[in-house]
Amino acid sequence: MAVRLRYTFLSGCLCLVLCGCQGMTYSVRDGWRLESVEEKTVQLQEDQLQQRDRLDALEKRLAVLEASQLADSRVQKGKAAPRLAASSQMKTPPPERKSLRPQKKKTRTPYVCPLRKHPRRKSAPAKVAAAPSKKSPASRQAPCVPPAHNVQPQKASKAVVHKQSSQAHPVKKVSRVNVQATKAKDLYDRGLRAVLEDRPAKGRELLNHFIKKYPRHELQPNARYWIGESFYSEKRFPESILAFKAVTRGYPKHEKSAAALLKTGYAYEKLGDARNAAFYLKIVVQDYPNTEPARLARRRLALRNW
């Protein structure tokens, strides 16, 4: 009897242990499945936002093209109207009448050389070949050259002065790269200023334009982080989570990555998801221990007892 009791007691204990282990395995599996489902939903939301941005960009391009076509048609109509009016007003000129009076032939006055007494005359062609003259070359008369009374000197002084002035004040050549860098920085500063001045929609528009126009700029992670901040200020926490995760995934070694993880934890806390909030705050403390976001994460963990 005692042996049976012991056997039943041991078998009951084994059953309880096995049931407890199986329950723990099911709870762990359910936890991993929930996390995978959450990640898939977040990825789907990211894809939807990207498709929405692409559609908005295409609509803007179509609107710009339609406006340009309308403007071109108006300009062409405006140019064609005065041409038609001018062509209708134009009249064919009357034909020229030929005068019946005989026209006088214009005679040119021969040039009179100041060294000679008589003007030049065209020599008549001699019928008989003239004999060669036996006069000396010194006695031959030199050809007449008109006197250079109004010969003006060449204006070379202005060219020399222009060269000297150009050497004294050299023109500074601005490279194309510097101009593009200044334009990119100006666009980023305007977007950041709009976000800080409580104009999140305008700042987000400027920062998205900066990201598309300058994809290889060094301020790309900063722009993406401030887009997340604009969503966070509007209490659009799912969109802010997606923007912050774009910073942590694309630029894990950047200085804004720690701040993006901290804000991701804050956003999950605002959504009521304490588990994910504590998870991201602990990652900040572990991966970036000596930073300001890590100090804020420790304070929040201690305050919430996570």
Side-chain angles (χ1 to χ4, degrees):
M1 191 69 182
V3 174
R4 288 181 181 178
L5 288 172
R6 287 179 183 176
Y7 179 73
T8 54
F9 177 73
L10 290 173
S11 62
C13 290
L14 287 172
C15 289
L16 289 172
V17 170
L18 292 173
C19 289
C21 292
Q22 190 173 5
M24 289 175 67
T25 54
Y26 284 138
S27 63
V28 172
R29 289 177 183 174
D30 293 337
W32 283 107
R33 287 175 183 173
L34 287 172
E35 289 182 357
S36 64
V37 169
E38 288 179 357
E39 289 183 355
K40 288 180 180 178
T41 54
V42 169
Q43 188 66 32
L44 287 172
Q45 289 177 357
E46 288 181 359
D47 297 337
Q48 289 177 358
L49 287 172
Q50 290 178 0
Q51 291 178 358
R52 193 181 301 168
D53 293 337
R54 291 175 183 172
L55 289 173
D56 293 338
L58 289 173
E59 289 178 356
K60 289 180 180 179
R61 289 181 182 176
L62 287 173
V64 170
L65 289 172
E66 289 177 356
S68 63
Q69 288 178 357
L70 288 173
D72 293 338
S73 63
R74 289 175 183 174
V75 170
Q76 290 177 359
K77 288 180 181 178
K79 288 181 179 179
R83 287 180 182 176
L84 292 172
S87 63
S88 63
Q89 292 178 1
M90 287 177 67
K91 296 181 179 179
T92 56
E96 295 181 356
R97 295 180 179 179
K98 294 182 180 181
S99 61
L100 299 175
R101 294 179 183 179
Q103 296 180 356
K104 295 181 180 180
K105 294 182 179 181
K106 295 180 180 180
T107 58
R108 295 183 181 179
T109 57
Y111 172 73
V112 178
C113 182
L115 300 178
R116 294 182 180 179
K117 295 181 180 180
H118 303 286
R120 292 182 180 178
R121 293 180 182 177
K122 294 182 178 179
S123 60
K127 295 181 180 179
V128 182
S133 60
K134 296 181 180 180
K135 294 181 180 180
S136 62
S139 64
R140 292 178 184 175
Q141 193 173 5
C144 182
V145 179
H149 296 294
N150 298 324
V151 177
Q152 296 180 358
Q154 296 181 355
K155 298 180 180 181
S157 60
K158 291 185 178 180
V160 175
V161 172
H162 181 67
K163 287 183 180 180
Q164 290 178 358
S165 62
S166 63
Q167 290 178 1
H169 302 283
V171 180
K172 294 182 180 179
K173 293 182 179 180
V174 181
S175 63
R176 188 176 179 181
V177 178
N178 294 333
V179 173
Q180 289 183 354
T182 53
K183 287 183 180 180
K185 187 66 167 61
D186 183 32
L187 181 60
Y188 171 78
D189 290 338
R190 285 192 286 127
L192 177 60
R193 196 181 306 114
V195 174
L196 295 176
E197 290 175 357
D198 200 9
R199 290 184 291 136
K202 182 65 176 177
R204 188 164 55 249
E205 182 182 356
L206 292 170
L207 292 172
N208 279 322
H209 182 57
F210 170 81
I211 289 170
K212 293 176 182 177
K213 192 172 183 180
Y214 306 101
R216 295 183 181 180
H217 201 273
E218 59 183 2
L219 293 174
Q220 279 280 324
N222 300 66
R224 294 179 185 276
Y225 173 79
W226 286 109
I227 288 171
E229 285 283 357
S230 68
F231 283 123
Y232 190 88
S233 64
E234 291 178 341
K235 296 182 180 181
R236 297 168 61 179
F237 300 116
E239 289 88 346
S240 67
I241 289 171
L242 295 176
F244 290 135
K245 284 187 176 182
V247 179
T248 56
R249 290 175 182 173
Y251 312 93
K253 294 183 180 180
H254 196 267
E255 59 182 4
K256 284 292 181 182
S257 183
L261 285 170
L262 179 69
K263 283 290 185 174
T264 304
Y266 286 175
Y268 273 119
E269 184 182 0
K270 293 289 185 181
L271 291 172
D273 192 350
R275 184 177 180 181
N276 278 322
F279 174 74
Y280 281 99
L281 293 175
K282 288 177 182 178
I283 287 176
V284 176
V285 175
Q286 291 175 2
D287 294 347
Y288 308 94
N290 298 322
T291 58
E292 184 65 19
R295 186 180 65 80
L296 296 174
R298 289 193 198 95
R299 183 185 296 177
R300 184 60 62 91
L301 288 169
L303 185 64
R304 302 298 183 190
N305 292 324
W306 287 339

